[in-house]
Amino acid sequence: MVLECKHVWEHISGYLDGNLDAAVLEEVQKHLEHCEICSAILDSTRNILILTADERVFELPLGFSERLHARLEAEMQGFSYGAAAAGDEGDT
Amino acid sequence: MNASIENRNEAQMIASILAGNTHEFHTLIQPYERSVYSMALSMLQNEADAEDAAQEAFLKAFRNLDKFRGEAKFSTWLISITLNEARSRLRHKKTAKTDSLDELTEGGHVSPALLRDWREIPSEALERQEVRLLLQDAITDLPVIYREVFVLRDMEYLSVNQSAEALGISVAAAKVRLHRARLMLQKRLAPELKRVMPKRRWLPWF
Ligand SMILES: [Zn+2]
């Protein structure tokens, strides 16, 4: 059985996550060895994942931490657990 | 690994906070400030909303800390609070149009961009504001169901199983959505990144 390109595309995520069946993995690897387009798709997808995982993509705004902790500080005034049972439930 | 040490310290810190040392909450959340914010921003598409949602998520975590069950990781719990916070804000501001778009793309088929050569990663690319904005826009333009799973799995490094659990969907559905999200980003970003990155600045990625 020889995989066509469009079938290889369906396995790109599984390939990157390392969770393809052994038989499929072998076929995909065989295909990638000779297909420039599919290996470029694989590389570009992997590279985009590496880039988007970089902390610099979504940087904290200036003063974020200070504003957050100031708000928490205000919340902490007079707060005690149990006494706040009537408060926010959260939906976890 | 020091993961178990971290977990133990967190458990101790949480016990201490619940016993009345509420100020330790500042220390407890420090490692998560960035990821809660970036999760909110990638969901909400604007910095003011994201900051507000992130603050709200931390406040909810603080108020509900006594309901946190130690068997889950604190980070996972915090992620689900953030996700819920972002989702409820999205529901409020979302128009009927984007709603139906999200539904439509669920069954759709995604083909990648057919590049002939991309062996390198532009690792210096993120020094450029332009590139960061391209990435941000592409992520925040993903339909919500794809954006969520992408953020959890590929930005917050949850496993596929954890992502599925956080989203309340099956593992199979999470895999399908994740795959589509990745291909949608590849289709859009690969050509854009090739265009904006001068070749000589690209570095081999191994
Ligand atoms: Zn191919």
Side-chain angles (χ1 to χ4, degrees):
Chain A
M1 176 192 72
V2 178
L3 282 182
E4 286 176 42
C5 292
K6 63 178 179 183
H7 294 126
V8 172
W9 303 342
E10 288 307 308
H11 296 302
I12 280 177
S13 276
Y15 186 91
L16 289 172
D17 285 337
N19 55 23
L20 291 184
D21 294 342
V24 177
L25 177 63
E26 201 189 319
E27 290 299 319
V28 169
Q29 256 160 351
K30 238 189 277 173
H31 182 99
L32 288 169
E33 273 167 28
H34 67 78
C35 180
E36 270 182 44
I37 290 176
C38 287
S39 34
I41 290 169
L42 177 72
D43 287 342
S44 56
T45 308
R46 173 166 40 210
N47 290 346
I48 285 164
L49 297 190
I50 292 169
L51 284 178
T52 54
D54 194 300
E55 295 188 332
R56 289 172 294 176
V57 172
F58 290 100
E59 276 186 324
L60 282 174
L62 219 65
F64 172 88
S65 211
E66 290 75 4
R67 291 189 292 276
L68 168 65
H69 288 283
R71 232 187 125 182
L72 281 167
E73 197 63 42
E75 179 76 15
M76 286 169 184
Q77 303 295 322
F79 184 92
S80 71
Y81 290 103
D88 203 310
E89 272 299 305
D91 19 15
T92 52
Chain B
M1 278 283 294
N2 53 13
S4 65
I5 296 170
E6 270 169 37
N7 283 346
R8 203 176 60 224
N9 288 345
E10 278 192 353
Q12 284 170 351
M13 233 186 284
I14 289 166
S16 170
I17 294 166
L18 292 174
N21 299 313
T22 48
H23 286 269
E24 287 184 47
F25 190 75
H26 291 297
T27 316
L28 177 68
I29 62 166
Q30 236 158 21
Y32 308 114
E33 285 177 26
R34 179 189 295 275
S35 68
V36 165
Y37 173 78
S38 69
M39 217 160 77
L41 183 55
S42 51
M43 294 289 292
L44 294 171
Q45 298 152 308
N46 112 30
E47 292 190 359
D49 286 350
E51 175 157 355
D52 201 49
Q55 285 188 357
E56 208 54 55
F58 281 119
L59 281 172
K60 283 188 176 159
F62 174 69
R63 290 183 202 127
N64 294 295
L65 194 60
D66 55 349
K67 299 187 191 76
F68 169 65
R69 302 276 169 257
E71 63 263 23
K73 280 170 72 182
F74 178 70
S75 58
T76 311
W77 186 67
L78 198 53
I79 281 172
S80 70
I81 293 176
T82 309
L83 196 59
N84 282 333
E85 186 61 32
R87 278 171 163 181
S88 80
R89 281 157 193 262
L90 276 179
R91 274 196 297 273
H92 286 298
K93 71 178 201 178
K94 206 151 84 165
T95 65
K97 192 180 158 208
T98 56
D99 261 330
S100 60
L101 251 180
D102 289 353
E103 295 307 316
L104 270 179
T105 42
E106 170 89 89
H109 178 80
V110 188
S111 303
L114 302 182
L115 299 175
R116 203 158 274 284
D117 57 330
W118 186 344
R119 299 274 175 260
E120 303 146 297
I121 181 168
S123 69
E124 297 162 54
L126 290 173
E127 287 161 21
R128 293 175 55 177
Q129 176 73 356
E130 183 189 14
V131 171
R132 288 209 297 267
L133 289 177
L134 281 179
L135 294 172
Q136 287 181 4
D137 284 350
I139 295 165
T140 57
D141 278 354
L142 287 174
V144 180
I145 59 169
Y146 301 115
R147 205 187 313 156
E148 287 178 337
V149 72
F150 180 78
V151 168
L152 294 178
R153 175 76 184 98
D154 287 331
M155 298 180 71
E156 299 302 324
Y157 300 117
L158 266 61
S159 68
V160 176
N161 288 31
Q162 287 173 313
S163 305
E165 204 183 321
L167 294 168
I169 60 177
S170 71
V171 172
K175 281 185 182 167
V176 170
R177 288 185 189 183
L178 180 66
H179 177 65
R180 292 200 181 129
R182 287 169 170 178
L183 282 199
M184 285 177 192
L185 289 178
Q186 190 274 355
K187 187 188 185 90
R188 167 159 169 184
L189 281 169
E192 286 184 349
L193 288 170
K194 279 201 77 152
R195 182 171 45 74
V196 300
M197 291 309 297
K199 231 186 169 121
R200 58 182 178 79
R201 297 191 60 202
W202 292 22
L203 297 175
W205 93 280
F206 265 128

